Each structure stands twice: as structure tokens, then as C-alpha cells.
Amino acid sequence: MTTHPSDPAVAAFVAAVNTGDEEAFFAALSDDATMSEDGTDRDLAAWAEREIFSSNGRMAIEDVSADGRTLTATYTNATWGSMRTRWAFTIADGRISRFETGQA
């Protein structure tokens, strides 16, 4: 079991979330990236502002898949507290084109 994503785009995403670096977060994503939360597509920019940046979101990784593109983490923010979450990433041209997250 590993707790460090081997995929560089996913590693950059996690680092950006954990440092609250909005510029680095969006740099890890493709220009047309999409996301879903608990199976429902969301507006990525609005979701990131609400769930990560304005609420001090942080990820403590528990496990990462062999390809580095799926992880389980305890996600904590000031709004919801801590919850166990699953994150799955689609990578295109070295950047995240989609991510899906939800309770694990």
C-alpha cells in the first residue's frame, strides 16, 4: 500500500489542495476539465472554491492504486469536517481532464 501518487498530475493536484495553492491546482487540470461529486457533475471552479479554498480543504491519503490515478483519502475541510473519500482521475496529455470524488 502506498500513500504517494505516482502519477505526476495527481501528485500535483494533491500538493495544491494541501497547500491551498489555487494557481497550482488549476495548472494540474486541463483547460476543459470536469468533475463529479457523489455521482453528480459539478461546476469545477465553484466546487473547488467552496470545498477546497474557502474552507481550508486537505487530503490525508490512505491508499493509492498501482497506476497512481485512484486514491482513498480522509478529506477534511472547515465546512464538513473529516470524511473518508475516494478520488479517481482521468489524465490526458499530462494533466487531469476529469476527476470524480465521493464518500468511500
Side-chain angles (χ1 to χ4, degrees):
M1 180 168 72
T2 182
T3 59
H4 300 288
S6 58
D7 186 284
V10 175
F13 177 97
V14 171
V17 168
N18 285 340
T19 59
D21 187 337
E22 191 169 354
E23 186 174 323
F25 176 84
F26 285 105
L29 305 173
S30 65
D31 293 340
D32 60 350
T34 61
M35 60 89 53
S36 71
E37 176 186 40
D38 293 322
T40 302
D41 281 0
R42 307 284 185 196
D43 176 285
L44 194 153
W47 182 90
E49 177 56 33
R50 181 180 63 252
E51 300 294 336
I52 300 171
F53 302 112
S54 68
S55 63
N56 197 31
R58 299 290 180 264
M59 303 171 78
I61 298 174
E62 298 173 15
D63 188 39
V64 180
S65 64
D67 67 1
R69 295 181 178 181
T70 303
L71 56 90
T72 304
T74 298
Y75 188 79
T76 304
N77 71 21
T79 303
W80 305 109
S82 295
M83 68 185 76
R84 192 164 189 257
T85 55
R86 180 182 179 278
W87 300 74
F89 298 88
T90 303
I91 310 299
D93 298 322
R95 294 170 75 195
I96 297 166
S97 60
R98 180 169 178 82
F99 68 92
E100 299 173 0
T101 187
Q103 292 192 39

